[in-house]
């Protein structure tokens, strides 16, 4: 029938471009490694009685390479981290030029005050980090300050704290912050006795 509309059909064929390669999206980057805790170790400067605490592996290596015989390694006293992590707060370190001693604080107001006090050098690179809140796994870290030299003792050992206070030259500044016990339970040597430089007598502490 000449009036009928002719039926038209279409055929579609898709062609891949010659030489094209299907590119998969790159995989997501691996998650960062979980933070690992670090021991905070104590050094005693034998000539002054200054006590230095650090979590820095490079600083520990520097002070134990034989070039600084005036610094005695006492060993780890508690643990935290040498890097910031969620839920942790920094413990700041200052050098007191007048007494050639170190000052440690986790208190932000105290940090600000010391930064504005002449004679205190802020050693920002050597701050370490501890839990911001106490929990079932943390232990208190007590701070005591020598009234003559300005040296600060940070200790988790109540026996050590009691012996130091017996000298009458130290001020009890209560709990400075909370930390974790040392990672290595190996018995300590110098860190488990009262330093002769500090008290004038050597008193072996209970283990």
């Amino acid at each position: 029938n000449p009036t009928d509309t002719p039926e038209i059909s279409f055929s579609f064929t898709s062609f891949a471009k010659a030489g094209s390669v299907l590119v998969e999206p790159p995989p997501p980057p691996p998650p960062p490694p979980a933070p690992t805790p670090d021991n905070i170790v104590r050094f005693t400067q034998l000539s002054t009685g200054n006590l230095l605490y650090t979590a820095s592996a490079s600083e520990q290596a520097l002070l134990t390479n034989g070039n600084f015989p005036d610094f005695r390694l006492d060993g780890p006293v508690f643990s935290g981290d040498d890097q910031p992590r969620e839920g942790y707060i920094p413990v700041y370190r200052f050098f007191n030029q007048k007494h050639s001693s170190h000052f440690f604080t986790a208190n932000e107001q105290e940090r600000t005050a010391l930064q504005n006090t002449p004679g205190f050098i802020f050693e920002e690179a050597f701050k370490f980090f501890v839990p911001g809140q106490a929990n079932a796994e943390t232990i208190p870290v007590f701070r005591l300050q020598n009234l003559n030299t300005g040296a600060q003792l940070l200790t988790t050992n109540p026996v050590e704290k009691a012996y130091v206070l017996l000298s009458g030259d130290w001020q009890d500044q209560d709990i400075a912050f909370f930390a974790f016990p040392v990672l290595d339970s190996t018995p300590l040597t110098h860190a488990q006795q009262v330093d002769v430089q500090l008290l004038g007598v050597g008193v072996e502490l209970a283990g």
Side-chain angles (χ1 to χ4, degrees), residues 18-143:
S20 66
V21 178
L22 182 62
V23 178
E24 294 288 342
T36 56
D38 299 285
N39 278 328
I40 285 78
V41 303
R42 185 171 79 193
F43 288 85
T44 296
Q45 189 172 7
L46 300 176
S47 62
T48 64
N50 174 43
L51 300 172
L52 184 148
Y53 298 82
T54 181
S56 167
S58 59
E59 186 174 42
Q60 294 174 41
L62 179 67
L63 293 176
T64 55
N65 67 6
N67 293 326
F68 297 90
D70 195 30
F71 282 88
R72 182 191 69 201
L73 174 62
D74 294 339
V77 286
F78 50 85
S79 68
D81 208 326
D82 65 346
Q83 300 294 324
R85 65 161 85 178
E86 185 177 355
Y88 278 44
I89 59 173
V91 177
Y92 302 105
R93 193 173 92 183
F94 289 82
F95 181 71
N96 183 335
Q97 292 178 298
K98 179 180 179 180
H99 295 296
S100 296
S101 60
H102 283 90
F103 191 103
F104 299 85
T105 182
N107 184 289
E108 293 292 341
Q109 292 181 334
E110 194 170 44
R111 174 189 66 85
T112 301
L114 288 173
Q115 284 184 295
N116 294 301
T117 301
F120 282 86
I121 299 174
F122 185 28
E123 298 183 337
E124 185 174 11
F126 297 107
K127 62 180 178 286
F128 54 86
F129 300 85
V130 295
Q133 299 290 334
N135 59 51
E137 298 178 350
T138 60
I139 52 177
V141 178
F142 303 100
R143 190 177 80 175

Side-chain angles (χ1 to χ4, degrees), residues 115-201:
Q115 284 184 295
N116 294 301
T117 301
F120 282 86
I121 299 174
F122 185 28
E123 298 183 337
E124 185 174 11
F126 297 107
K127 62 180 178 286
F128 54 86
F129 300 85
V130 295
Q133 299 290 334
N135 59 51
E137 298 178 350
T138 60
I139 52 177
V141 178
F142 303 100
R143 190 177 80 175
L144 297 88
Q145 187 159 15
N146 189 293
L147 300 175
N148 301 316
T149 68
Q152 284 189 333
L153 172 68
L154 301 177
T155 182
T156 62
N157 189 329
V159 180
E160 183 177 41
K161 173 184 174 182
Y163 270 114
V164 168
L165 290 174
L166 284 176
S167 72
D169 294 330
W170 291 80
Q171 179 187 57
D172 184 1
Q173 298 183 336
D174 204 16
I175 297 174
F177 49 84
F178 294 88
F180 294 108
V182 294
L183 302 175
D184 185 356
S185 60
T186 302
L188 307 181
T189 54
H190 295 296
Q192 287 190 329
Q193 60 186 3
V194 176
D195 190 274
V196 175
Q197 192 88 24
L198 303 177
L199 292 181
V201 294

